[in-house]
Amino acid sequence: MLLACSYRLLNSDQASEITARAGEQALEITTSKIYPAADSVSAILFLIDTSDPGRQEVISRNAEQIAGILEKAGPHDKAGLASFDKDVTVNVPIGGSAADIVTAAHTLKATGLTTELYRNTIKAIELIARTNADRKAIFLLSDGQAEDKAYFHADVIRMATKYGVIINTLGYPRSTALSVALQTLRRLSEETGGLYIETNNRYELPADFMRAPFDNINRGGQFIVDLNPLTTHRPDPPAIEIKFTTAISNVLTVMPVALKALPVTTLVPILPAANPSPVIQLANSQPVSVIADNHLFDTLVWYGIPIALVILIMMTLLTLILIYRRQQASSEPVVHTVVREQNKALAYLITQDETARCYPITSATCRIGRSRDNEITIDDSSVSRRHAEIRRTFNGQFVLYDRQSTNGVFINNHKVTTQNLVEGDIIEIGDVFLRFTQKPADYAYGQSTAMLKTRAP
């Protein structure tokens, strides 16, 4: 009769109130706990890139920084160490001592083998997924270079979402020119609810991060919802709505519920437990069954809620992290639940040629360039792989950034590096002219992004 929930906020604010209801029926919240509790366990895996011999100085610095990070670990943090180039090597299993991890990190040497970043991050996720822990996080230390041919960013995100793994990335730029590769790490963190931290040119991590390196993992908490009032609803009760109130904003999560009658012969009396039920580790969005006792029937026929709740929650909770990171300027504390459509266009870029192609901007961060992993891909030799980026701020303003492109970015014939966009602005990216608009009168909702096929004059 209990729904156990786990949640995590993406900033340091705490939920001041948690309420639950199904339609007009209020549901009681019981045994609410802030994470970490006395019996909590966080699994931490440090994953170090050792593929480039030219980065041996960085790898030596990694060992010193891991030592500093482990000094801030709590009794519930169980850490381990792995390194990778072409393959992953487990140097210290999760649960090893801080001294063993630091000693092993000091012995790591760069080998010069291929950097299979995506494949080996997936392997690391599979390793940490086998641990029995309430929270699971990878600290990935790398320069962001990836030479995978058959594994991609989306494969990593799928695996991290499946197992509820947070990826915190620590970026060490090889050079100013190659620092664009760090966007690989940034996206891994954004889409798994992790932190992206970049070192300076002396490979030093920010002091604020070093003071509380586990802060984003140790947020949120656990609570239990009493589902007994739902047994009076036939055939199906309304969806459960859980509301989180914080000092910044309110967040609402919605979970469907269904009731299922079970044969009397399959039922076994449930005795009161000596201790409260442990909080369930929620995994994905498939339904799970909750058994309900119908107190209204003298025949003691038991009814239950079909398999609809537990597996649903973690998948939906983690998905909202992706939405939050794409709208991180708003600083909303977010629970991993899908609460709004993700394919609705926020604005449009329209090519100023005879094709009048329309590119919808569907996320708070929209990258533009020749590479296929941009949100808007423009196949033109005058356009850089990562040419520009448009971000939507918390107040609805759109800001254009030049990402150190070769040919620069112009707005209304003026070269810019950063500038707010207004309705009707003409953006020049290489030899391509785009008009910015938020008035899609002639374009259908959810229109697919079109690939512009042009050539440089």
Side-chain angles (χ1 to χ4, degrees), residues 33-105:
K33 298 188 295 184
I34 299 299
Y35 193 89
D39 56 350
S40 298
V41 175
S42 292
I44 309 294
L45 180 63
F46 293 97
L47 182 61
I48 300 180
D49 182 350
T50 59
S51 61
D52 185 356
R55 297 179 63 252
Q56 187 59 51
E57 177 188 355
V58 175
I59 295 171
S60 300
R61 180 64 64 88
N62 290 161
E64 301 169 3
Q65 292 166 339
I66 288 175
I69 292 172
L70 288 174
E71 290 178 358
K72 306 298 183 181
H76 65 289
D77 293 315
K78 309 302 179 184
L81 175 69
S83 55
F84 75 95
D85 40 50
K86 184 176 176 61
D87 287 301
V88 169
T89 300
V90 177
N91 305 100
V92 179
I94 294 175
S97 69
D100 288 344
I101 293 172
V102 174
T103 299

Side-chain angles (χ1 to χ4, degrees), residues 185-457:
L185 304 181
R186 185 189 295 273
R187 284 197 66 192
L188 290 177
S189 293
E190 286 179 350
E191 297 183 25
T192 60
L195 288 177
Y196 167 72
I197 305 296
E198 185 174 331
T199 65
N200 58 24
N201 56 9
R202 296 186 299 277
Y203 307 121
E204 296 170 339
L205 289 168
D208 288 347
F209 167 74
M210 293 300 291
R211 278 193 291 269
F214 302 106
D215 182 55
N216 76 311
I217 301 170
N218 297 330
R219 291 176 185 161
Q222 300 163 325
F223 60 92
I224 294 176
V225 182
D226 184 359
L227 301 180
N228 278 287
L230 299 185
T231 61
T232 60
H233 291 272
R234 308 292 179 207
D236 290 330
I240 295 176
E241 297 181 354
I242 299 180
K243 181 180 178 182
F244 297 81
T245 302
T246 75
I248 297 176
S249 66
N250 299 330
V251 178
L252 184 69
T253 77
V254 180
M255 291 163 286
V257 179
L259 297 179
K260 179 180 179 182
L262 299 179
V264 175
T265 56
T266 67
L267 301 177
V268 178
I270 300 176
L271 300 178
N275 298 309
S277 300
V279 173
I280 301 171
Q281 180 64 37
L282 307 174
N284 57 43
S285 60
Q286 299 302 317
V288 60
S289 142
V290 179
I291 305 301
D293 180 9
N294 183 3
H295 300 289
L296 301 180
F297 296 98
D298 294 334
T299 58
L300 298 179
V301 177
W302 294 30
Y303 291 86
I305 301 175
I307 304 177
L309 296 176
V310 175
I311 303 180
L312 166 72
I313 298 176
M314 183 57 80
M315 191 69 175
T316 52
L317 293 180
L318 290 176
T319 304
L320 192 56
I321 287 184
L322 186 154
I323 299 173
Y324 174 85
R325 284 296 184 183
R326 291 187 178 278
Q327 299 180 343
Q328 56 187 332
S330 66
S331 299
E332 288 185 357
V334 182
V335 182
H336 315 301
T337 306
V338 176
V339 295
R340 52 184 174 270
E341 297 177 278
Q342 302 180 45
N343 62 342
K344 185 175 181 179
L346 305 172
Y348 297 84
L349 295 179
I350 303 173
T351 60
Q352 299 302 286
D353 58 15
E354 67 278 1
T355 65
R357 298 287 186 180
C358 175
Y359 295 93
I361 298 174
T362 59
S363 60
T365 300
C366 178
R367 300 169 303 162
I368 306 170
R370 199 172 67 249
S371 176
R372 290 181 179 273
D373 59 356
N374 292 294
E375 281 71 30
I376 294 180
T377 300
I378 300 179
D379 187 12
D380 191 291
S381 59
S382 66
V383 177
S384 299
R385 291 181 66 254
R386 299 279 192 275
H387 200 109
E389 183 174 294
I390 296 177
R391 295 182 187 174
R392 185 175 184 265
T393 64
F394 71 95
N395 60 0
Q397 178 66 55
F398 291 84
V399 184
L400 178 68
Y401 298 87
D402 182 2
R403 289 306 179 202
Q404 299 180 341
S405 60
T406 301
N407 293 322
V409 175
F410 294 78
I411 297 180
N412 301 327
N413 296 323
H414 296 288
K415 188 172 184 180
V416 300
T417 55
T418 301
Q419 183 166 313
N420 292 349
L421 293 173
V422 298
E423 180 70 27
D425 274 349
I426 301 298
I427 304 170
E428 183 179 348
I429 295 178
D431 294 330
V432 179
F433 291 81
L434 303 163
R435 178 169 58 87
F436 173 78
T437 180
Q438 293 179 260
K439 301 176 181 178
D442 299 325
Y443 303 97
Y445 169 82
Q447 181 177 354
S448 300
T449 300
M451 177 69 74
L452 178 62
K453 298 294 184 181
T454 66
R455 59 183 178 82

